[in-house]
Amino acid sequence: MTDPKIADVTYIEPINDNIITEIIKKEKPHALLPTMGGQTALNCTLKLNQKNILKKYNIELIGVTIHAIQKAEDRNLFEKSMKKIGLKTARCGIVRTIQEANNIIKKIGFPCIIRPSFTMGGSGGGIAYNDKEFQQLCLQGLEQSPTNELLIDESLIGWKEYEMEVIHDQLGTCIIICSIENVDPMGIHTGDSITVAPAQTLSDKEFQKMRNASIKVLKEIGVQAGGANVQFAINPKNGEMVVIEMNPRVSRSSALASKATGFPIAFISAKLAIGYNLNELKNNITGIQTPAAFEPTIDYIVTKLPRFNFEKFHNCNDRLTTQMKSVGEVMAIGRTFQESLQKAIRSLEINSSGFDITLRNQKYQENLSNYKKKIQYELTKAGPERLWYIGEAFRLKWTIHIVNQLTNIDIWFLYQIKEIIDIEEKTKKLKLHNLNYFKLKELKSKGFSDLRIAQLICQKEHEVRNYRYKLKLFPVYKRIDTCAAEFFTDTAYMYSTWEDECESLPTKNPKKIIILGSGPNRIGQGIEFDYCCVHAAQALRKDHYETIMINCNPETVSTDYDMSDRLYFEPITLENILEIIRIEQPQGIVIQYGGQTPLKLAKYFQKYKINIIGTQPKYIDIAENRKKFQNIVLQLNLKQPKNDTANNIKDALKKAKEISYPIIVRPSYVLGGRDMEIINNEKDLKKYFLNHTCFCNNQEILLDQYLEKAIEIDVDAICDGQNIFIGGIMEHIEQAGIHSGDSACSLPTYTITKEIKNKIRKQTKKLAIKLSVLGLMNIQFAIKKDIIYVLEVNPRAARTVPFVSKAIGLPLVKIAMRVMCGISLKQQGYIKEIKPKYYSVKEVVLPFNKFLNVDPVLGPEMRSTGEVMGIGKNFSYAFYKAMLSISAKIKKFGRVLISLKKSDEKSAVQIAIKLKKLGFKLDSTNDINKILKNSGIFTRLVSTQNERTLNVYNLIQNKKYVYIINTDINKINSKKYNKICKYALKYKIHYDTTLNGTLATLISLQHLNEYPILSLQKMHQKI
């Protein structure tokens, strides 16, 4: 959405009322549409209204009124509104203090649900089963809520949960786009739930009752025109229906419903907001045959599974509650629930091909008694793998009734899962030749992949595939058309199934190219790669190629049906891709833009003689293989940190000694620095191997010299085989050793000399040519004492590509895509590197507020879930804007705490002087206090010990600090000093844990309460 060509004027600015006010003053808009930007946009709109900005500048609110937002968001008003139209809500109370909370709980009783007002994804909330949990969650929730307000609900745990996606126009026409049913019962956030569309366990009478209630809710709340969703709970014992909440805007579920039905909810909602009515708009999929007022009908089942990354947050609470913890999701489409469920499992990219948890956790089966206890725990206290443990329960002959009692999942869903397990157990007794055409087709129609069948009958995947081909058993493809095939559609939006009639109708166009998407969002691989896939499709379509997109992520633009010529909503697995290639017969396949997901399949594509467009797998392997890449670096006479590989602890100890500590250790071929650690001594290395036995004995471990206090550099470039075009040289703000995905960075660089940058340019060209890169590449360098070290080369699109493209005003992906199709950089006119006049800073969004017991400390393993961009006339302005965008709040006056590690103590005086000049009062811990005292700077001494007076934790808890600097964090001090960061996070005080981050913050503080704005278009004009 922040591409400069999407809107006439584009601002990459913080979404806060001060910045939006400045944009309103400058642009003088007639109207404001607040319903597309989630809770952030609604909260900002309410603040603008409170400040009288909308009235002052005569701005009309479209799509929804302030009164409607307040009625939907304010629980008292919402409850009264529902009572007025004869609908029930859960008993609840709104509180602003612990005393009020204690009074309410006497009426509501345990268990209860605590939800902070105006937070996203249930942040700060949870379920309290007793008074201790209640007090803890209330304190936490009051801190998290921007209005210091809590909603305490009676528990509906175990009830069934549903959502209705509704669209309403100004004439009063209301249509239901889609019903969505949560497989998981109430008590788990809908974002973390397995969901299906359409709802499966409602009778027609119940559906009609819920449909009518949804329409009544929309009309009562007063949604003028556009999309909204209403959530319901139904008591499975007596059918009692309760309205949970209503969102007067499009939501996460709206994206899912749009992809599930083919009905573009946001697009139609925007049209309705500016005055159109549903009968005036056409259905884009069926064209003129049906209007948008035609309610979608679907003749398939859609299943959504959430994607979790708990392994990134050691010691975190991975149980699922009312606070959302997933980082992404997948969607799968099939003719039955079983087919779509198993396709969704394969789409998750967690090395699961079905109900195969025993392949991943064999140790649990060693003791059957313990294994049963483990299963019971997983079924009762839902975690990220509950679905698989349900399968294990049925494998152990537990009844549907028992599993239903433990999970509260509807017996219809449990029956479906049990049938899959029963089929698996029968299949295990067969040999490949026992599977005739009809038996194999039945397995495939139940969602079994070739790989899963192979696992069950102890064969190889390719043997099952070859046997299936011999039987001439292939999938067919059906179209998503919003009307269950009642009308013809030209729109090629498809999914695979195992019936007789194929609706794919591939063209005979010889110029067709497949683009592989990146699958579910997760830490290390997010929407940056969706951006790349979309730009690749746009470039190819402009050059008259037929584009074919394969992806399974409902949250992305790449899975919009009109983004490519043909869209296959399928898991990104070898089987699914080979089948699409078989019928489409493309000119080639693009694997550079989907992150690590398509790259992992490169060797198989080579084996099957599939033409890969761009850098060839041979060179991708050289870049990723430690020893091969080491040879390239030596041949080019470049420098690398000392490094080696090890296959066991004995080998690792010997090689670590040769490299010399500290070292960075990680498994090979991982995403986002998974299980990457800085190791300081032999004892730590032994501990690392002990804690990671699951992979340390099965795969190669990489050992690298850790370059302390080095500056890390990222370079994004395009190579056409002869020339390179450098998109950007970025300087990381945090030192080397912090994962590049977790480090802020600046373009242009802000401390690197011209001489060093010229050397980097030359080294980039050498590496690109030597590795025969064709298209995009990313190189990471480290600079220590003016010596340049090559850290790694990725011959593909990197996370930084969208950031660089927006900073320099050039679509790097499109340029690279044309290079991959044979149009050189010279032919395209891209020879000279762009040197922007403005600074751009990328800053990361970290999810530590979801895991308050995890050390919120940056390291070599990536943990950020998003990023923002700040733009300014100099580095300090750009960094300040980036800080505003991540909601970092530092007041202009107040008290700052300084606690530095030994190696940072030399900077203590510099930091203190800058803070004093800015007018802050200072506190410091023991060693820093002495250093500053010796330099004539007096600060207040505070203690981390359990003392009543001037105890750091009491001061943080009482919000006596506006900013905390705490670099004294490591494994040894973790209990004492890391606790400071945990408290800062809990009580919403901005903190820095690195020296470079601190220095960047300090130079940006001079701009506090300034709100300069700059559109992307104006910035690009000056380049």
Side-chain angles (χ1 to χ4, degrees):
M1 76 179 78
T2 50
D3 266 10
K5 289 188 177 175
I6 293 292
D8 297 299
V9 185
T10 309
Y11 286 93
I12 296 184
E13 296 285 356
I15 309 290
N16 73 40
D17 52 303
N18 294 311
I19 292 284
I20 303 302
T21 299
E22 293 304 311
I23 293 170
I24 285 169
K25 284 180 191 174
K26 186 177 178 182
E27 297 294 342
K28 300 178 175 57
H30 297 104
L32 178 69
L33 178 62
T35 54
M36 300 292 162
Q39 197 63 44
T40 304
L42 285 192
N43 291 355
C44 187
T45 303
L46 289 173
K47 279 191 176 178
L48 290 169
N49 181 63
Q50 284 165 13
K51 287 184 161 185
N52 217 28
I53 298 297
L54 301 178
K55 194 174 179 182
K56 182 179 177 182
Y57 293 98
N58 197 26
I59 294 168
E60 182 187 350
L61 210 58
I62 56 174
V64 69
T65 63
I66 289 292
H67 186 54
I69 297 172
Q70 288 167 339
K71 275 174 86 174
E73 298 285 328
D74 184 298
R75 199 63 194 185
N76 278 334
L77 293 176
F78 184 72
E79 202 176 355
K80 283 175 187 172
S81 299
M82 295 305 99
K83 198 174 272 186
K84 184 179 168 186
I85 54 175
L87 294 174
K88 291 181 184 176
T89 56
R91 285 184 302 137
C92 68
I94 292 175
V95 302
R96 290 173 182 82
T97 66
I98 288 292
Q99 186 57 51
E100 288 176 11
N102 289 332
N103 292 337
I104 285 287
I105 197 63
K106 288 171 188 172
K107 297 173 188 173
I108 289 173
F110 292 113
C112 68
I113 294 171
I114 292 103
R115 293 196 287 175
S117 297
F118 299 97
T119 62
M120 286 181 288
S123 286
I127 304 165
Y129 291 91
N130 53 54
D131 190 60
K132 187 182 175 184
E133 290 175 352
F134 179 71
Q135 299 297 327
Q136 189 181 343
L137 282 168
C138 286
L139 283 168
Q140 180 181 300
L142 287 167
E143 288 296 332
Q144 294 266 345
S145 170
T147 54
N148 297 109
E149 187 178 85
L150 287 182
L151 174 67
I152 299 171
D153 269 332
E154 74 168 308
S155 168
L156 302 176
I157 293 167
W159 288 35
K160 292 157 72 172
E161 188 171 355
Y162 298 87
E163 279 188 60
M164 288 286 188
E165 293 296 326
V166 195
I167 278 194
H168 180 261
D169 70 13
Q170 291 179 29
L171 292 177
T173 307
C174 225
I175 61 169
I176 305 295
I177 304 304
C178 188
S179 62
I180 299 173
E181 178 171 0
N182 288 16
V183 174
D184 296 296
M186 287 285 292
I188 295 175
H189 192 283
T190 189
D192 287 350
S193 289
I194 300 166
T195 61
V196 293
Q200 295 297 295
T201 69
L202 286 176
S203 67
D204 186 54
K205 189 178 178 183
E206 287 172 321
F207 173 78
Q208 291 302 327
K209 183 183 173 186
M210 200 176 282
R211 183 185 187 280
N212 294 339
S214 302
I215 293 168
K216 281 167 80 176
V217 170
L218 245 73
K219 290 184 175 179
E220 170 57 30
I221 294 298
V223 174
Q224 284 180 318
N229 78 330
V230 189
Q231 292 173 28
F232 296 91
I234 287 188
N235 188 334
K237 291 173 183 173
N238 57 21
E240 181 189 353
M241 186 177 81
V242 162
V243 182
I244 304 167
E245 66 177 12
M246 179 265 190
N247 289 308
R249 55 175 171 83
V250 295
S251 63
R252 274 185 312 274
S253 306
S254 306
L256 180 70
S258 293
K259 299 294 161 78
T261 60
F263 190 100
I265 293 173
F267 174 82
I268 297 294
S269 294
K271 290 274 192 182
L272 297 177
I274 57 171
Y276 285 94
N277 293 310
L278 283 164
N279 61 351
E280 296 173 312
L281 299 171
K282 67 174 185 176
N283 179 322
N284 284 352
I285 282 189
T286 56
I288 57 168
Q289 297 179 84
T290 57
F294 194 93
E295 211 164 77
T297 309
I298 57 181
D299 54 356
Y300 46 82
I301 307 284
V302 171
T303 301
K304 176 215 90 179
L305 292 186
R307 178 67 151 83
F308 299 97
N309 261 146
F310 290 121
E311 70 278 4
K312 294 277 188 180
F313 304 93
H314 307 294
N315 303 317
C316 73
N317 177 3
D318 66 353
R319 297 301 95 183
L320 308 182
T321 65
T322 55
Q323 177 172 275
M324 186 175 166
K325 295 176 182 177
S326 60
V327 293
E329 62 191 38
V330 295
M331 181 182 107
I333 310 165
R335 298 298 263 189
T336 64
F337 172 68
Q338 291 169 336
E339 184 181 25
S340 69
L341 177 66
Q342 296 220 74
K343 283 175 78 174
I345 288 172
R346 297 201 295 280
S347 301
L348 281 171
E349 291 182 48
I350 55 171
N351 294 323
S352 178
S353 59
F355 285 87
D356 57 0
I357 198 163
T358 50
L359 294 177
R360 292 178 280 140
N361 290 317
Q362 290 176 346
K363 63 177 181 178
Y364 287 135
Q365 289 189 301
E366 291 165 10
N367 184 316
L368 189 58
S369 174
N370 286 346
Y371 191 45
K372 285 179 178 177
K373 285 176 188 172
K374 169 73 176 168
I375 292 171
Q376 185 164 347
Y377 171 74
E378 290 289 344
L379 267 54
T380 311
K381 305 276 186 185
E385 295 182 313
R386 176 153 80 163
L387 177 63
W388 288 266
Y389 282 106
I390 289 169
E392 286 306 287
F394 290 133
R395 220 182 289 282
L396 292 177
K397 308 298 180 191
W398 293 17
T399 65
I400 287 175
H401 175 72
I402 289 170
V403 177
N404 169 256
Q405 292 293 302
L406 293 170
T407 62
N408 286 316
I409 291 172
D410 190 278
I411 57 170
W412 186 87
F413 294 114
L414 296 177
Y415 176 81
Q416 300 294 318
I417 296 168
K418 184 179 183 299
E419 190 179 41
I420 290 172
I421 300 303
D422 291 344
I423 291 168
E424 282 198 357
E425 295 306 300
K426 285 176 188 172
T427 306
K428 283 177 183 177
K429 296 170 186 173
L430 302 174
K431 300 289 183 192
L432 186 56
H433 65 265
N434 298 139
L435 293 170
N436 61 29
Y437 178 91
F438 298 104
K439 279 183 183 172
L440 192 53
K441 187 174 182 180
E442 186 187 358
L443 283 175
K444 299 301 286 181
S445 66
K446 295 285 183 182
F448 287 91
S449 65
D450 290 345
L451 176 57
R452 185 61 184 144
I453 295 167
Q455 289 168 351
L456 293 169
I457 61 173
C458 301
Q459 299 282 150
K460 301 282 187 207
E461 181 186 6
H462 68 88
E463 291 170 340
V464 174
R465 181 161 39 254
N466 292 341
Y467 179 72
R468 178 167 59 79
Y469 281 10
K470 194 176 166 184
L471 294 176
K472 293 188 167 48
L473 178 58
F474 306 109
V476 298
Y477 295 89
K478 298 290 183 183
R479 296 195 178 212
I480 289 175
D481 54 15
T482 74
C483 61
E486 190 177 340
F487 300 99
F488 175 76
T489 176
D490 282 325
T491 307
Y493 176 13
M494 293 164 291
Y495 66 96
S496 68
T497 189
W498 296 85
E499 295 185 354
D500 298 324
E501 185 190 2
C502 186
E503 298 172 4
S504 178
L505 307 174
T507 67
K508 297 279 197 306
N509 187 351
K511 282 182 70 175
K512 58 167 86 166
I513 289 175
I514 287 177
I515 300 165
L516 290 186
S518 57
N521 290 349
R522 81 228 61 173
I523 293 172
Q525 193 165 297
I527 56 168
E528 304 92 342
F529 296 105
D530 174 60
Y531 169 96
C532 293
C533 291
V534 168
H535 273 229
Q538 288 173 339
L540 288 170
R541 289 180 91 174
K542 195 172 181 183
D543 290 349
H544 310 295
Y545 285 91
E546 184 179 320
T547 55
I548 301 162
M549 187 73 68
I550 306 174
N551 205 357
C552 56
N553 188 338
E555 302 176 293
T556 58
V557 180
S558 63
T559 50
D560 278 3
Y561 62 79
D562 56 354
M563 198 43 66
S564 47
D565 294 299
R566 298 170 73 77
L567 168 64
Y568 288 90
F569 213 108
E570 292 287 291
I572 304 171
T573 64
L574 183 63
E575 178 183 339
N576 294 89
I577 293 161
L578 288 177
E579 293 299 343
I580 294 165
I581 288 170
R582 180 182 58 80
I583 63 160
E584 289 287 356
Q585 297 295 306
Q587 180 182 320
I589 189 165
V590 176
I591 64 172
Q592 259 191 41
Y593 294 137
Q596 207 64 32
T597 300
L599 289 187
K600 286 189 284 190
L601 298 168
K603 61 183 177 185
Y604 299 106
F605 297 147
Q606 206 170 22
K607 180 185 169 185
Y608 286 98
K609 295 184 170 53
I610 293 160
N611 179 34
I612 291 172
I613 293 170
T615 309
Q616 293 305 295
K618 175 187 171 183
Y619 299 105
I620 293 169
D621 181 61
I622 289 171
E624 295 202 336
N625 184 290
R626 180 55 60 100
K627 286 187 168 61
K628 290 176 185 176
F629 184 64
Q630 207 170 43
N631 290 333
I632 294 286
V633 172
L634 287 169
Q635 286 171 36
L636 295 174
N637 203 24
L638 302 178
K639 282 189 165 53
Q640 245 190 328
K642 289 181 198 170
N643 64 81
D644 214 323
T645 60
N647 293 98
N648 54 60
I649 181 63
K650 190 180 174 185
D651 202 16
L653 288 167
K654 183 189 168 193
K655 288 174 176 176
K657 209 170 184 180
E658 290 166 7
I659 294 169
S660 80
Y661 294 98
I663 60 169
I664 293 182
V665 181
R666 67 182 168 101
S668 55
Y669 298 99
V670 293
L671 184 69
R674 171 82 192 274
D675 292 309
M676 199 170 180
E677 282 187 30
I678 296 169
I679 304 291
N680 292 299
N681 50 51
E682 203 170 273
K683 186 184 170 186
D684 284 352
L685 187 57
K686 285 177 182 174
K687 194 176 175 183
Y688 179 87
F689 269 75
L690 191 68
N691 292 340
H692 299 90
T693 49
C694 55
F695 62 73
C696 283
N697 297 324
N698 300 316
Q699 69 186 92
E700 201 172 50
I701 301 298
L702 310 182
L703 313 172
D704 286 274
Q705 174 192 7
Y706 172 44
L707 300 172
E708 291 183 275
K709 300 244 176 204
I711 296 167
E712 196 165 332
I713 298 290
D714 249 302
V715 178
D716 278 331
I718 302 168
C719 182
D720 62 8
Q722 290 184 313
N723 296 301
I724 69 157
F725 175 77
I726 290 180
I729 300 174
M730 293 155 275
E731 180 179 352
H732 289 208
I733 289 161
E734 280 74 28
Q735 70 275 13
I738 305 291
H739 193 281
S740 60
D742 282 355
S743 177
C745 72
S746 171
L747 176 64
T749 60
Y750 70 109
T751 69
I752 303 299
T753 64
K754 200 174 182 179
E755 185 188 0
I756 292 287
K757 282 199 273 190
N758 286 334
K759 284 181 182 176
I760 285 170
R761 290 181 180 104
K762 285 174 185 170
Q763 292 192 17
T764 300
K765 184 166 185 178
K766 278 184 179 181
L767 285 161
I769 300 298
K770 189 70 180 174
L771 288 167
S772 298
V773 171
L774 191 62
L776 275 162
M777 71 181 297
N778 170 269
I779 307 180
Q780 286 169 33
F781 296 97
I783 300 160
K784 186 170 183 178
K785 295 178 181 174
D786 288 345
I787 297 169
I788 301 170
Y789 297 88
V790 180
L791 298 181
E792 65 178 26
V793 176
N794 292 304
R796 58 167 171 83
R799 275 184 300 273
T800 44
V801 164
F803 167 72
V804 174
S805 297
K806 284 161 193 184
I808 66 170
L810 288 178
L812 292 181
V813 175
K814 292 179 180 178
I815 298 164
M817 191 67 249
R818 292 193 173 106
V819 160
M820 290 155 69
C821 291
I823 306 167
S824 71
L825 287 165
K826 198 172 182 182
Q827 286 171 306
Q828 292 186 63
Y830 298 110
I831 302 296
K832 200 176 174 187
E833 183 183 339
I834 299 289
K835 292 178 183 174
K837 297 276 195 289
Y838 284 82
Y839 276 78
S840 295
V841 167
K842 173 183 79 78
E843 182 57 288
V844 300
V845 178
L846 294 154
F848 291 126
N849 63 326
K850 299 280 186 182
F851 308 108
L852 292 174
N853 58 331
V854 173
D855 284 342
V857 177
L858 302 178
E861 179 163 4
M862 183 176 170
R863 297 198 278 183
S864 63
T865 51
E867 62 188 39
V868 298
M869 180 174 173
I871 300 166
K873 60 187 178 185
N874 53 38
F875 172 76
S876 61
Y877 251 127
F879 189 78
Y880 167 64
K881 296 289 275 300
M883 282 179 64
L884 279 181
S885 296
I886 60 165
S887 302
K889 291 170 185 163
I890 301 177
K891 291 176 184 171
K892 205 158 189 175
F893 304 101
R895 194 167 282 279
V896 176
L897 170 65
I898 307 172
S899 176
L900 304 177
K901 64 182 176 186
K902 202 86 181 156
S903 57
D904 291 339
E905 285 177 354
K906 290 176 186 174
S907 303
V909 174
Q910 178 193 359
I911 289 168
I913 288 169
K914 284 189 175 182
L915 286 165
K916 286 270 189 188
K917 276 185 181 175
L918 288 163
F920 291 103
K921 294 172 184 175
L922 306 182
D923 281 6
S924 60
T925 48
N926 198 30
D927 291 345
I928 303 304
N929 188 271
K930 287 174 188 171
I931 290 166
L932 294 174
K933 203 172 186 178
N934 291 339
S935 300
I937 301 169
F938 294 93
T939 62
R940 189 171 72 170
L941 176 66
V942 291
S943 171
T944 55
Q945 303 305 312
N946 193 17
E947 295 168 8
R948 290 188 178 182
T949 55
L950 294 182
N951 175 271
V952 164
Y953 309 119
N954 290 337
L955 291 165
I956 296 172
Q957 201 168 341
N958 294 326
K959 297 196 173 179
K960 297 298 181 184
Y961 295 121
V962 294
Y963 175 37
I964 291 172
I965 300 163
N966 179 32
T967 71
D968 196 7
I969 42 171
N970 54 49
K971 287 180 184 174
I972 300 158
N973 289 335
S974 64
K975 284 187 180 173
K976 192 182 359 175
Y977 290 106
N978 293 11
K979 191 178 169 186
I980 292 175
C981 296
K982 287 184 184 179
Y983 265 61
L985 183 72
K986 186 176 180 180
Y987 294 102
K988 293 187 173 178
I989 299 166
H990 182 67
Y991 65 94
D992 279 310
T993 59
T994 65
L995 181 63
N996 289 8
T998 300
L999 296 173
T1001 300
L1002 291 180
I1003 62 171
S1004 73
L1005 290 179
Q1006 62 187 297
H1007 305 301
L1008 281 178
N1009 299 338
E1010 293 176 20
Y1011 305 106
I1013 55 169
L1014 178 72
S1015 76
L1016 217 52
Q1017 289 80 359
K1018 284 276 167 66
M1019 178 177 119
H1020 292 165
Q1021 280 171 18
K1022 295 182 181 182
I1023 292 173

